[in-house]
Amino acid sequence: MIVFATSDKGGTGRSVTSCNLGYRMCVKGKRVAYLDFDFGSPTAGALFEISGAERGVPDNAGLHSYLQGKTGVATRIDVRDSTDRHQLRKLRTRTGKLVLLPGDSGGAEFKQIDNGIVAKCAQLLLEVDQSFDVCLVDLSAGRSVAMELALKATALPQLAERMVRWLVFHRWTRQHIIAAHGLVRGEHGLLDGGKRVGHDPDALLDRVRYIRTAVPVLNDETEGSGPQAAWLHEQHTELKRLALTNKVGASALLGETPVEPILQWREQLILDIDVDRKIANRATVEAFEKLADRVLDPASWKPV
């Protein structure tokens, strides 16, 4: 399965949520490859806390250079062997594999995409898809060259029959809901761009699901009382209405993650030990686990 993670805006939690999804799938025994296609800002190494790869890898050894043909092999880093987090390094039994394919340090977006780069990308995705259970590809935010490259590569015959999914991340705010709609359905968006390179827009839309991030939990402990509580409920109801109008409502929703202080202050993998130490919330881990299950469940991808 090839899963592209995208968002129209930065700061949606796309990368940190995708990294946590990859980790939770690994814990479930899956072999997971994480490809950092955020070419201009490759920071997956920092999320996995891998020294020397916080902003990609040097010496033209990253994905940007590989796709340009500057190197014949894309660097692969075993996260559990290379991470600085000793609790993660100790995970050995009954777990799968988690491998990072990092970008280039000091990398940048492609100025243009030629047929050679598209073919190289398709070859890479096919090879990784054949070697791993899940290939998670973190794209740059917005209508990026990375999204264009992903659409062109997956339109080629060698990938046309592969299981490809698209996760669109947005925060639970008016601006992010509207932006998510535009990214998928707007001019030069996912469907429009896909159609231009040979995708069937209806079939492509069936492969799209949304993930809401940093969603406040409304209950007696968090919402207060009186006018503030009434206002919070009113805003929550209005956002649901806006999401429905913009076709990012419940029918196309894969799941959501709650507001999590540890992710606001320090973007990282949340391990069970973080919950045991009471520095992370159990509800966030449960949300990641549910999302991982739903990504893997064919029933989640039935046409809506």
Side-chain angles (χ1 to χ4, degrees), residues 47-250:
L47 296 173
F48 291 124
E49 298 184 61
I50 300 173
S51 293
E54 293 92 343
R55 290 193 57 81
V57 289
D59 303 324
N60 294 325
L63 286 175
H64 193 277
S65 292
Y66 172 78
L67 293 172
Q68 288 182 311
K70 295 180 180 179
T71 179
V73 180
T75 297
R76 298 188 180 193
I77 301 174
D78 188 300
V79 172
R80 289 183 298 172
D81 286 344
S82 304
T83 182
D84 299 332
R85 293 193 71 181
H86 69 275
Q87 299 96 339
L88 182 55
R89 292 174 70 96
K90 291 193 299 183
L91 284 177
R92 286 292 181 268
T93 59
R94 293 183 298 171
T95 56
K97 196 172 186 67
L98 181 58
V99 173
L100 168 66
L101 280 71
D104 287 81
S105 59
E109 287 283 5
F110 291 98
K111 293 181 179 179
Q112 61 181 6
I113 299 174
D114 58 31
N115 292 336
I117 291 176
V118 174
K120 196 80 170 175
C121 180
Q123 177 186 351
L124 174 66
L125 293 174
L126 184 61
E127 290 175 354
V128 173
D129 188 42
Q130 291 172 337
S131 301
F132 292 84
D133 299 309
V134 183
C135 171
L136 270 171
V137 187
D138 185 13
L139 303 177
S140 310
R143 295 159 175 79
S144 64
V145 174
M147 187 174 80
E148 179 186 352
L149 176 59
L151 287 169
K152 287 184 175 180
T154 53
L156 294 178
Q158 56 265 45
L159 286 176
E161 301 303 320
R162 310 302 292 188
M163 188 182 297
V164 177
R165 311 301 191 202
W166 290 81
L167 299 179
V168 178
F169 291 79
H170 68 86
R171 292 176 67 90
W172 194 226
T173 71
R174 295 184 73 255
Q175 293 151 318
H176 281 266
I177 290 170
I178 294 169
H181 167 83
L183 178 66
V184 174
R185 298 174 180 271
E187 186 177 5
H188 304 301
L190 184 64
L191 300 182
D192 185 33
K195 183 178 180 180
R196 292 173 187 269
V197 297
H199 285 280
D200 178 339
D202 292 331
L204 185 57
L205 184 61
D206 286 339
R207 298 175 176 181
V208 175
R209 294 294 183 272
Y210 298 88
I211 295 179
R212 300 172 185 168
T213 61
V215 179
V217 178
L218 299 182
N219 55 40
D220 292 339
E221 294 181 1
T222 59
E223 69 185 10
S225 60
Q228 185 183 57
W231 184 84
L232 286 172
H233 278 286
E234 179 183 344
Q235 297 308 308
H236 192 61
T237 300
E238 180 59 32
L239 288 176
K240 285 185 176 181
R241 185 179 299 114
L242 184 65
L244 182 62
T245 301
N246 282 272
K247 300 181 181 181
V248 299

Side-chain angles (χ1 to χ4, degrees), residues 277-297:
R277 291 175 175 175
K278 301 188 184 302
I279 60 174
N281 295 311
R282 174 66 62 185
T284 305
V285 169
E286 291 174 350
F288 288 149
E289 289 177 337
K290 288 180 182 178
L291 283 172
D293 286 338
R294 289 172 181 171
V295 170
L296 296 170
D297 185 2

